[in-house]
Amino acid sequence: MLRYMGKRLVLMLVSLWLIASLTFVLMHSIPGDPFTSEKKLPKQTLENLKAKYGLDKPLPAQYVQYMGNIVKFDLGISIKSTTRTVNDILEEGFPVSAHLGIQSILVALAAGIVMGMIAASRQNQLSDYFLMVLAVIGLSVPAFVLAPLFQKYFGMKWNLLPVWGWGEFDKTILPSIVLAFSPLALVTRLTRSSMLEVIGQDYIRTARAKGLPPIRVMSRHTLRNAIIPVVTIMGPLTAAILTGSFVVEQIFAIPGLGKYFVESITNRDYPVIMGVTIFYSAFLIVMNFLVDLLYGWIDPRIKLGGKEAG
């Protein structure tokens, strides 16, 4: 286990370095700079601004300086918001995105697994067809279409829930459901297909032959092995949701990380763009690592070192 974790730690650091390097190169390969605007700045002012943010140095020197700052967990100062650092933006935006994301993940997992179990246990019946149609709709309809529909009917027409803002719990319900809709559909389909595969195994037939109640067979014997594909997708899915859904946060006026990322791209705010990208990448890498560790807990037959038990 320790050897495996050591190898994974090295690979995680190398992956993060490659992502940071690629992001740096891509950002500086775009024509222009963050100070390019309709209003032309005086030459001396432009030079002073570039000197302040280190953009007057050669690219290799900028790269070395930026990598050194990353090692010190210093992601720089926002160019468009000079009084705030990128670390401040992450500290302010991530908790909001994480709050919204956790609620969405819980909704997607709870509802998706239950719906998948129902569909698998009633294969080729009306309830199975109905749930699969809902899953297809959930995967097909994008959030920027679903969110306005929810706002129109649940907020404006039926006056059940607030349609924008953040703070009170009722303001988190609509965006959480919208953000959970696509993951919920994916979890439903994966749970159904995995459970149908597991249901045909010999040990499931044996459990049924012993006279165990169907609900116990489904929950204790079938679900544990069928849940592995769901766990596989939850790593990147959780990272994506927790670090902020740009579309949902913009539509519902939620001050999460997605808002700052969209604004930084519009303003060509290099430090914020690179800082948020690196933060998201690190979160994704860690989540994938945790998913690998979960495999061994869910199914002891899986060995992290890649060797099967003799």
Side-chain angles (χ1 to χ4, degrees), residues 225-244:
N225 290 304
I227 204 71
I228 292 178
V230 177
V231 174
T232 302
I233 67 164
M234 286 313 297
L237 198 60
T238 300
I241 292 176
L242 288 183
T243 50

Side-chain angles (χ1 to χ4, degrees), residues 14-54:
V14 171
S15 300
L16 196 58
W17 169 71
L18 290 174
I19 292 170
S21 301
L22 183 60
T23 305
F24 179 89
V25 172
L26 291 176
M27 284 280 45
H28 287 82
S29 64
I30 301 174
D33 55 59
F35 309 109
T36 303
S37 61
E38 295 181 2
K39 182 179 179 180
K40 190 174 182 180
L41 296 173
K43 183 178 179 181
Q44 186 60 45
T45 302
L46 186 60
E47 290 178 355
N48 291 338
L49 286 172
K50 288 184 176 180
K52 177 181 178 180
Y53 293 100

Side-chain angles (χ1 to χ4, degrees), residues 104-114 183-184 187 191 227 230 234 238:
S104 302
I105 291 168
L106 293 177
V107 171
L109 281 178
I113 291 175
V114 171
L184 187 153
V187 170
T191 303
I227 204 71
V230 177
M234 286 313 297
T238 300

Side-chain angles (χ1 to χ4, degrees), residues 23-171:
T23 305
F24 179 89
V25 172
L26 291 176
M27 284 280 45
H28 287 82
S29 64
I30 301 174
D33 55 59
F35 309 109
T36 303
S37 61
E38 295 181 2
K39 182 179 179 180
K40 190 174 182 180
L41 296 173
K43 183 178 179 181
Q44 186 60 45
T45 302
L46 186 60
E47 290 178 355
N48 291 338
L49 286 172
K50 288 184 176 180
K52 177 181 178 180
Y53 293 100
L55 298 177
D56 59 333
K57 300 177 182 178
L59 279 181
Q62 292 184 43
Y63 175 78
V64 172
Q65 181 180 1
Y66 187 71
M67 287 299 171
N69 290 337
I70 290 178
V71 173
K72 295 183 291 186
F73 299 100
D74 179 9
L75 298 176
I77 302 174
S78 170
I79 293 177
K80 294 301 179 179
S81 180
T82 56
T83 59
R84 306 174 66 199
T85 66
V86 180
N87 296 59
D88 294 335
I89 292 174
L90 292 175
E91 290 177 5
E92 180 180 335
F94 178 66
V96 176
S97 296
H99 182 180
L100 177 64
I102 290 172
Q103 287 188 188
S104 302
I105 291 168
L106 293 177
V107 171
L109 281 178
I113 291 175
V114 171
M115 290 167 62
M117 292 176 64
I118 294 173
S121 62
R122 303 187 179 184
Q123 185 183 13
N124 297 328
Q125 296 182 24
L126 183 61
S127 55
D128 180 24
Y129 295 141
F130 175 73
L131 291 174
M132 287 303 98
V133 169
L134 284 182
V136 171
I137 294 174
L139 291 172
S140 304
V141 180
F144 63 81
V145 173
L146 196 63
L149 288 176
F150 274 48
Q151 288 177 323
K152 177 181 178 180
Y153 289 100
F154 289 97
M156 301 175 183
K157 190 172 183 179
W158 299 330
N159 199 27
L160 297 175
L161 295 167
V163 297
W164 68 277
W166 187 255
E168 295 79 16
F169 175 73
D170 57 348
K171 292 182 179 179

Side-chain angles (χ1 to χ4, degrees), residues 278-289:
I278 293 170
F279 178 79
Y280 171 81
S281 303
F283 202 89
L284 176 61
I285 291 170
V286 171
M287 291 306 302
N288 284 332
F289 174 66

